[in-house]
Amino acid sequence: MKSFARIILPACFAVAAISVTVSAPAQAQSADTSFFLTSNGIGNGGNLGGLAGADNHCQTLAQAAGAGGKTWRAYLSTQAADGQPAVNARDRIGKGPWKNAKGTVIAKDVAELHGANGLTKQSALSEKGEVINGRGDTPNRHDVLTGSQPDGSAFAAGEDRTCKNWTSSTQGAAMVGHSDRMGLRDDDASKSWNSSHASRGPDGGCSQADLKSTGGDGLFYCFAAN
C-alpha cells in the first residue's frame, strides 16, 4: 500500500501542475487585449462626462477585465466649440496594432482601421470577450457612439454630432456606427462600424431612451493607446 501511495501522490501533483500551466494563458491573453466594445455604457445617454469621463470608463472596464496596465482611450471625436478645437477620434487611439479579448487583430494600424479592418459582430467583442447584441437580437445594441466621420475625423462645428461634446443627455445628436456592420439597407452607411447615422428621439436625441430606441445602449469603442 505504501509503495502504491508513493506512485499515486506524485502523479496527482503532476496533474495539478499541468492544470496550472493550461489555465495560465487565459490571464495573459486578457492582459494582451488592446481593443474592446464596452459591455455597458455610462447610463446617462450621450452625457459621458466629456472625453475624460469616457476614457475613465474604458480604463475602469479594462482594469476589471485584467487589462488595466495600459492607457485606454475612447474612440470619440469632439467638435470645435467655445474656443476649443475639434478632436479627431483617430488621433486619440495610438498607432496599433489592436487585438480583441480573444487575441484577434482587428487592425494593424490607423489606416487599416479606417479601411479594410477586421471588425465584425464576432470580433467587436466586449472587454469580457463577449459578443454584443446586433440587428435581429433582443435587445439590439449595435449603435456605437463615435461622433465621427468614416475616416475617424470630427464633424465641422455647427450641426451637433457629439451630444454637445459628450455632455448632453437631452438635446443634440450623436453619430453612431454599427458594431455588427448591419443596418436597414445594404449600403456603406448601414455597414459602417463608425459612421452610420445620427441618433434621434422624442427626448431630443441624446437621452438613454433615445439611444435605445434606434438600437443602441450608449456603448463605445475603447483602444489601448500605448
PDB file of all heavy atoms in Angstrom, residues 62 66 81 99 105 127 140 146 148 187 191 195 213:
ATOM      1  N   ALA A  62     -11.450  48.026 -18.450  1.00  0.00           N
ATOM      2  CA  ALA A  62     -10.228  47.281 -18.760  1.00  0.00           C
ATOM      3  C   ALA A  62      -9.585  46.747 -17.486  1.00  0.00           C
ATOM      4  O   ALA A  62      -9.125  45.606 -17.438  1.00  0.00           O
ATOM      5  CB  ALA A  62      -9.250  48.172 -19.517  1.00  0.00           C
ATOM      6  N   GLY A  66      -8.719  42.727 -16.281  1.00  0.00           N
ATOM      7  CA  GLY A  66      -7.321  42.294 -16.212  1.00  0.00           C
ATOM      8  C   GLY A  66      -6.429  42.899 -17.261  1.00  0.00           C
ATOM      9  O   GLY A  66      -5.331  42.408 -17.497  1.00  0.00           O
ATOM     10  N   ALA A  81     -15.793  74.071 -30.356  1.00  0.00           N
ATOM     11  CA  ALA A  81     -16.815  74.828 -29.621  1.00  0.00           C
ATOM     12  C   ALA A  81     -16.166  75.597 -28.482  1.00  0.00           C
ATOM     13  O   ALA A  81     -15.170  75.128 -27.896  1.00  0.00           O
ATOM     14  CB  ALA A  81     -17.889  73.891 -29.071  1.00  0.00           C
ATOM     15  N   LYS A  99      -5.749  44.256 -30.665  1.00  0.00           N
ATOM     16  CA  LYS A  99      -6.307  42.906 -30.544  1.00  0.00           C
ATOM     17  C   LYS A  99      -7.517  42.907 -29.625  1.00  0.00           C
ATOM     18  O   LYS A  99      -7.542  43.624 -28.620  1.00  0.00           O
ATOM     19  CB  LYS A  99      -5.261  41.951 -29.963  1.00  0.00           C
ATOM     20  CG  LYS A  99      -4.018  41.763 -30.794  1.00  0.00           C
ATOM     21  CD  LYS A  99      -3.057  40.808 -30.088  1.00  0.00           C
ATOM     22  CE  LYS A  99      -1.770  40.627 -30.873  1.00  0.00           C
ATOM     23  NZ  LYS A  99      -0.837  39.709 -30.166  1.00  0.00           N
ATOM     24  N   VAL A 105      -6.451  40.164 -34.173  1.00  0.00           N
ATOM     25  CA  VAL A 105      -6.086  41.520 -34.591  1.00  0.00           C
ATOM     26  C   VAL A 105      -7.224  42.101 -35.414  1.00  0.00           C
ATOM     27  O   VAL A 105      -7.602  41.550 -36.448  1.00  0.00           O
ATOM     28  CB  VAL A 105      -4.788  41.512 -35.417  1.00  0.00           C
ATOM     29  CG1 VAL A 105      -4.476  42.917 -35.937  1.00  0.00           C
ATOM     30  CG2 VAL A 105      -3.624  40.986 -34.590  1.00  0.00           C
ATOM     31  N   GLU A 127     -14.967  43.875 -23.345  1.00  0.00           N
ATOM     32  CA  GLU A 127     -13.756  43.631 -22.557  1.00  0.00           C
ATOM     33  C   GLU A 127     -13.784  42.251 -21.886  1.00  0.00           C
ATOM     34  O   GLU A 127     -12.751  41.700 -21.509  1.00  0.00           O
ATOM     35  CB  GLU A 127     -13.577  44.730 -21.504  1.00  0.00           C
ATOM     36  CG  GLU A 127     -14.495  44.670 -20.304  1.00  0.00           C
ATOM     37  CD  GLU A 127     -15.915  45.166 -20.571  1.00  0.00           C
ATOM     38  OE1 GLU A 127     -16.193  45.624 -21.703  1.00  0.00           O
ATOM     39  OE2 GLU A 127     -16.732  45.119 -19.635  1.00  0.00           O
ATOM     40  N   ASN A 140     -31.449  44.951 -29.459  1.00  0.00           N
ATOM     41  CA  ASN A 140     -30.369  45.318 -30.364  1.00  0.00           C
ATOM     42  C   ASN A 140     -29.534  46.410 -29.704  1.00  0.00           C
ATOM     43  O   ASN A 140     -30.075  47.418 -29.246  1.00  0.00           O
ATOM     44  CB  ASN A 140     -30.973  45.827 -31.684  1.00  0.00           C
ATOM     45  CG  ASN A 140     -29.922  46.231 -32.704  1.00  0.00           C
ATOM     46  OD1 ASN A 140     -28.734  45.997 -32.523  1.00  0.00           O
ATOM     47  ND2 ASN A 140     -30.364  46.839 -33.791  1.00  0.00           N
ATOM     48  N   THR A 146     -19.727  57.383 -31.644  1.00  0.00           N
ATOM     49  CA  THR A 146     -18.394  57.753 -32.145  1.00  0.00           C
ATOM     50  C   THR A 146     -18.267  59.256 -32.406  1.00  0.00           C
ATOM     51  O   THR A 146     -17.183  59.811 -32.264  1.00  0.00           O
ATOM     52  CB  THR A 146     -18.045  57.031 -33.465  1.00  0.00           C
ATOM     53  OG1 THR A 146     -18.863  57.542 -34.527  1.00  0.00           O
ATOM     54  CG2 THR A 146     -18.234  55.525 -33.348  1.00  0.00           C
ATOM     55  N   SER A 148     -18.100  60.609 -35.180  1.00  0.00           N
ATOM     56  CA  SER A 148     -17.024  60.685 -36.173  1.00  0.00           C
ATOM     57  C   SER A 148     -17.498  60.462 -37.604  1.00  0.00           C
ATOM     58  O   SER A 148     -18.510  59.804 -37.849  1.00  0.00           O
ATOM     59  CB  SER A 148     -15.942  59.643 -35.848  1.00  0.00           C
ATOM     60  OG  SER A 148     -15.427  59.822 -34.556  1.00  0.00           O
ATOM     61  N   ASP A 187     -26.128  49.296 -47.795  1.00  0.00           N
ATOM     62  CA  ASP A 187     -25.293  50.389 -48.292  1.00  0.00           C
ATOM     63  C   ASP A 187     -24.118  50.603 -47.344  1.00  0.00           C
ATOM     64  O   ASP A 187     -24.025  49.985 -46.274  1.00  0.00           O
ATOM     65  CB  ASP A 187     -26.105  51.673 -48.464  1.00  0.00           C
ATOM     66  CG  ASP A 187     -26.754  52.150 -47.164  1.00  0.00           C
ATOM     67  OD1 ASP A 187     -26.509  51.530 -46.105  1.00  0.00           O
ATOM     68  OD2 ASP A 187     -27.512  53.135 -47.208  1.00  0.00           O
ATOM     69  N   LYS A 191     -23.387  49.543 -43.174  1.00  0.00           N
ATOM     70  CA  LYS A 191     -22.309  48.609 -42.850  1.00  0.00           C
ATOM     71  C   LYS A 191     -21.139  49.273 -42.119  1.00  0.00           C
ATOM     72  O   LYS A 191     -20.167  48.613 -41.783  1.00  0.00           O
ATOM     73  CB  LYS A 191     -21.781  47.978 -44.141  1.00  0.00           C
ATOM     74  CG  LYS A 191     -22.804  47.141 -44.889  1.00  0.00           C
ATOM     75  CD  LYS A 191     -22.234  46.651 -46.207  1.00  0.00           C
ATOM     76  CE  LYS A 191     -23.255  45.865 -47.010  1.00  0.00           C
ATOM     77  NZ  LYS A 191     -22.712  45.437 -48.322  1.00  0.00           N
ATOM     78  N   SER A 195     -19.652  55.266 -38.563  1.00  0.00           N
ATOM     79  CA  SER A 195     -20.367  56.451 -39.058  1.00  0.00           C
ATOM     80  C   SER A 195     -21.584  56.037 -39.873  1.00  0.00           C
ATOM     81  O   SER A 195     -21.589  56.131 -41.100  1.00  0.00           O
ATOM     82  CB  SER A 195     -19.414  57.317 -39.905  1.00  0.00           C
ATOM     83  OG  SER A 195     -19.935  58.610 -40.108  1.00  0.00           O
ATOM     84  N   SER A 213     -33.832  53.551 -28.511  1.00  0.00           N
ATOM     85  CA  SER A 213     -34.952  53.482 -29.455  1.00  0.00           C
ATOM     86  C   SER A 213     -34.508  53.147 -30.874  1.00  0.00           C
ATOM     87  O   SER A 213     -35.299  52.619 -31.665  1.00  0.00           O
ATOM     88  CB  SER A 213     -35.732  54.809 -29.464  1.00  0.00           C
ATOM     89  OG  SER A 213     -34.986  55.845 -30.088  1.00  0.00           O
TER      90      SER A 213
END
